[in-house]
Each structure stands twice: as C-alpha cells, then as structure tokens.
C-alpha cells in the first residue's frame, strides 16, 4: 500500500497537513506515505518521521487560466509517467481547487483518487468530499478519513521536529549578535509576499522597542531574502538593538529559533504556523485571510488572532495588484496597542 499526498501550496498550508499525516500513519502503520510538494515547501516535511519520501515538482500556478504558460501538457504527461513507475494505490489531492493535481493522479493511473468535489477536479477523482469552510487542519483530516475514520482534530499531534544541529546553528548565529543561550528572545516575521498583508514599518519598530523593554528580551527578525529590505527598514527605525537573521535560515533552523522564542509575531503567514508547530505562542495579524480557516493551530489562548472591524473582511483575496493600498486598510487598522496587549497576554502563560 503506497499513498501519495499531493500538496502544491506554500509553507503554511504544507505544515497544516502534518496532523493528517500523523493520523494516516497511525491508521496505516505499514503503508508507504509519500508527499508530492513544491520545492519551495519541501523542508516543511523532509524531516518528518511519518513520511517515507518527499518528492518535489514545480507545480504550475493555481489559476487554471495561467496554467498553460507554466506547465505544458508535455510536462504533465512526463510527470505522470514518473509517478506511474513508482506505483501508487491511492492519491489525495489536498488543495481544494487543484485540478492539475487531480489530472496528474489520473494520468499516473493511480486507482483511488480522493479530493474535493469541485467542477474542475471531479471528473478525474474516484472519491469526492464536499468542501466546507473549516480550519485547514480539519479539512485535511476529512480527506484521509477513508483510512482513519472520523478523527478529533484536537487529539492529533501537530509538531515539527528539530535536532541538535538545528539548535547549534541558532545558538552560534545568535552568539555572533552577543545573545547568549540563556537570554530570552522574541521573534517578528513582518514580511509577506502580498502587500495587503503588510503592517506599517513604524508600527513594527514601536512594537519591537516596547517589547524589548517590557519582556526583557531581544527582538530577532526573521524573513526570506526578498523580505530583508523590510526588516532592515524596521530595525533602522528602532531605538533598541535587535538581531536580524532574515535570509539566513532553512525551515528546520527557523523552527529551532522559534522554539527558543517567548512569542512570534507577524501577519498571517507560514512562519507563524511553524512557530505553533514547535509549541511557541503566536500573535497573528489577519487582513483578507479567514482566521477560522488559517489561524495558527493550538490553544486559542496561546495563539491570539487580531483583525480589524472592516465590513468586507475576510474577502480571501490576496492579490490586489493594480489597486492602491489606500483601498485596503484591513491590516493597517489593527492598532499598536492591541498587538502589544496580545503579546503580553500570550507570554504570561
């Protein structure tokens, strides 16, 4: 029995698949579990002991209208042949609108293909379930109920493994910034691919300075290479010293850093889900995304979600290219005071 889980999304969505993988492994201890992910998120599952193999594929964009320029039919057939050579008994397409993954599983000759009942995917699936507005962890668990039966999401482990090498890297990096292992830190991941999710630079600078004093901890800023300029703008506006590790961590090293932090703050993004997976408290600022579907998984009193009162939220639209930020204040309307209060609350536990 060899089961393929197809997850084309980015870091956060991939991490939220971990409970479903854990439940599937408990129900099928002798099955081979493979995951097919984008190279951009392979690190999220590469060290997971419940997974036998992590395969990567540079998936086309999720919009069907854009797919032809990114993945030709030749590519689809070639990838399907590769999967056919491996041989799978079942495939699960975890993204609701991922018709491309459904077609891939169909062409690979996988006998059992499970996914959501959407018009684009339905013709290529053997088993469909209705998509419901629920947290992504619950949605993913529903897709593996064929093997597990109904599962209580609160009882399924959600954890990301870190090893001594990851902790040693973080300790050595922080030591270069004169931060000793026993010194407390808190982390801020301010960046996002979409400008509609970005909070003002000066707000983050004020929050970082204030928490440095109130928590007696050093601010450590994380992010990708492309987000380094935002981090540098924030630290330049700060009055207190801070550490910048943006662009210098892989997923497992970032997890080890967050495991050491008292709290991780940022707009809704993958790193906040990583923090929750290492049992660190979070403060998440939500704009267009729906927190009922994507809040960091864990006790709600340790993972606080902040939103504005704007009437059109959550619109679930992230790409407003061509529009002006003035028309999308949903994240900017969250006040500095609310963020500080939330950070103090979660660190008091």
């Amino acid at each position: 029995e060899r089961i393929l889980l197809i997850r084309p999304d980015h870091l956060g969505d991939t991490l939220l698949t971990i409970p479903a993988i854990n439940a599937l492994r408990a129900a099928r201890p002798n099955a081979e579990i493979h995951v097919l992910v984008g190279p951009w998120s392979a690190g999220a599952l590469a060290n997971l002991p419940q997974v036998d193999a992590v395969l990567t594929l540079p998936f086309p964009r999720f919009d069907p209208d854009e797919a032809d320029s990114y993945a030709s039919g030749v590519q689809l057939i070639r990838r399907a042949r590769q999967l056919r050579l491996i041989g799978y008994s079942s495939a699960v397409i975890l993204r609701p609108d991922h018709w491309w993954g459904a077609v891939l599983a169909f062409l690979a000759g996988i006998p059992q293909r499970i996914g959501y009942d959407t018009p684009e995917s339905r013709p290529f699936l053997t088993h469909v379930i209705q998509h419901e507005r629920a947290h992504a962890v619950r949605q993913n668990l529903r897709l593996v109920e064929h093997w597990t039966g109904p599962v209580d999401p609160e009882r399924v482990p959600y954890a990301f493994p870190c090893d001594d090498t990851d902790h040693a890297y973080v300790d050595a990096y922080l030591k270069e910034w004169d931060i000793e292992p026993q010194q407390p830190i808190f982390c801020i991941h301010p960046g996002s691919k979409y400008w509609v999710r970005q909070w003002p630079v000066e707000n983050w600078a004020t929050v970082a300075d204030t928490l440095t004093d109130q928590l007696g901890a050093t601010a450590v800023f994380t992010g990708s290479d492309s987000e380094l300029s935002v981090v540098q703008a924030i630290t330049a506006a700060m009055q207190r010293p801070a550490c910048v590790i943006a662009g210098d961590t892989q997923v497992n090293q970032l997890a080890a850093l967050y495991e050491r932090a008292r709290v991780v703050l940022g707009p809704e993004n993958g790193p906040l889900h990583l923090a929750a997976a290492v049992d660190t408290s979070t403060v998440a600022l939500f704009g267009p995304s729906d927190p009922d579907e994507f809040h960091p998984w864990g006790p709600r009193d340790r993972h606080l979600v902040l939103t504005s009162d704007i009437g059109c939220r959550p619109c679930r639209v992230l790409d407003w290219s061509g529009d002006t930020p003035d028309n999308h204040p949903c994240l900017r309307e969250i006040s500095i005071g609310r963020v500080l209060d939330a950070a103090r609350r979660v660190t008091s536990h």
Side-chain angles (χ1 to χ4, degrees), residues 23-341:
L24 181 58
R25 172 56 70 204
R28 283 292 191 272
N30 298 319
E32 282 190 37
I33 300 176
H34 295 190
V35 291
L36 180 63
V37 298
W40 45 80
S41 60
L45 302 177
N47 294 329
L48 207 65
Q50 294 83 354
V51 172
D52 296 294
V54 176
L55 313 177
T56 61
L57 190 160
F59 289 97
R61 295 201 176 191
F62 307 135
D63 184 347
D65 295 332
E66 299 182 15
D68 287 345
S69 60
Y70 293 89
S72 67
V74 172
Q75 181 197 18
L76 187 63
I77 293 171
R78 183 173 66 249
R79 297 291 184 172
R81 284 175 176 167
Q82 293 171 345
L83 295 179
R84 186 184 289 266
L85 288 173
I86 298 173
Y88 292 96
S89 55
S90 304
V92 182
I93 293 82
L94 289 154
R95 183 179 170 93
D97 60 353
H98 198 229
W99 64 271
W100 202 90
V103 174
L104 178 66
F106 172 79
L107 293 177
I110 301 175
Q112 181 172 253
R113 303 177 299 278
I114 302 171
Y116 288 108
D117 190 8
T118 62
E120 298 82 8
S121 300
R122 188 184 306 122
F124 307 100
L125 300 173
T126 60
H127 296 73
V128 295
I129 67 170
Q130 295 298 316
H131 182 257
E132 300 174 355
R133 291 291 183 190
H135 194 275
V137 167
R138 299 179 185 274
Q139 294 178 22
N140 293 332
L141 285 169
R142 290 178 63 226
L143 284 168
V144 297
E145 281 187 353
H146 172 79
W147 297 277
T148 67
V151 175
D152 180 359
E154 307 294 341
R155 300 176 65 86
V156 180
Y158 175 54
F160 185 93
C162 301
D163 61 26
D164 292 341
T165 303
D166 302 326
H167 292 115
Y169 174 86
V170 169
D171 288 345
Y173 196 103
L174 295 182
K175 191 172 181 61
E176 291 182 2
W177 289 76
D178 296 322
I179 302 173
E180 297 297 331
Q182 68 275 12
Q183 288 182 247
I185 63 169
F186 65 95
C187 295
I188 297 177
H189 190 103
S192 174
K193 175 183 177 181
Y194 302 99
W195 56 255
V196 73
R197 279 178 170 172
Q198 293 176 357
W199 207 43
V201 164
E202 58 273 15
N203 288 10
W204 282 125
T206 300
V207 165
D209 278 335
T210 305
L211 290 181
T212 297
D213 293 338
Q214 293 182 346
L215 300 181
T218 302
V220 179
F221 285 87
T222 63
S224 63
D225 287 332
S226 62
E227 295 163 343
L228 181 58
S229 60
V230 173
V231 168
Q232 290 172 333
I234 295 170
T235 55
M238 290 177 60
Q239 303 299 314
R240 300 288 185 267
C243 169
V244 175
I245 198 171
D248 288 335
T249 54
Q250 299 174 349
V251 174
N252 51 316
Q253 296 162 345
L254 186 62
L257 172 69
Y258 287 164
E259 192 174 45
R260 180 172 161 177
R262 295 193 62 189
V263 61
V264 178
L265 305 93
E268 187 270 320
N269 53 35
L272 289 183
H273 296 296
L274 184 63
V278 294
D279 199 31
T280 295
S281 298
T282 64
V283 175
L285 283 62
F286 271 75
S289 300
D290 188 348
D292 289 340
E293 294 182 62
F294 298 110
H295 66 78
W297 188 250
R300 297 304 292 268
D301 61 342
R302 293 190 54 221
H303 300 284
L304 296 185
V305 168
L306 303 178
T307 65
S308 71
D309 295 327
I310 192 168
C312 55
R313 192 206 63 78
C315 66
R316 301 183 179 88
V317 178
L318 300 180
D319 188 359
W320 288 98
S321 54
D323 204 350
T324 171
D326 293 339
N327 295 329
H328 304 276
C330 50
L331 206 75
R332 297 194 310 275
E333 286 188 354
I334 300 172
S335 70
I336 293 173
R338 291 180 63 201
V339 175
L340 289 171
D341 178 65

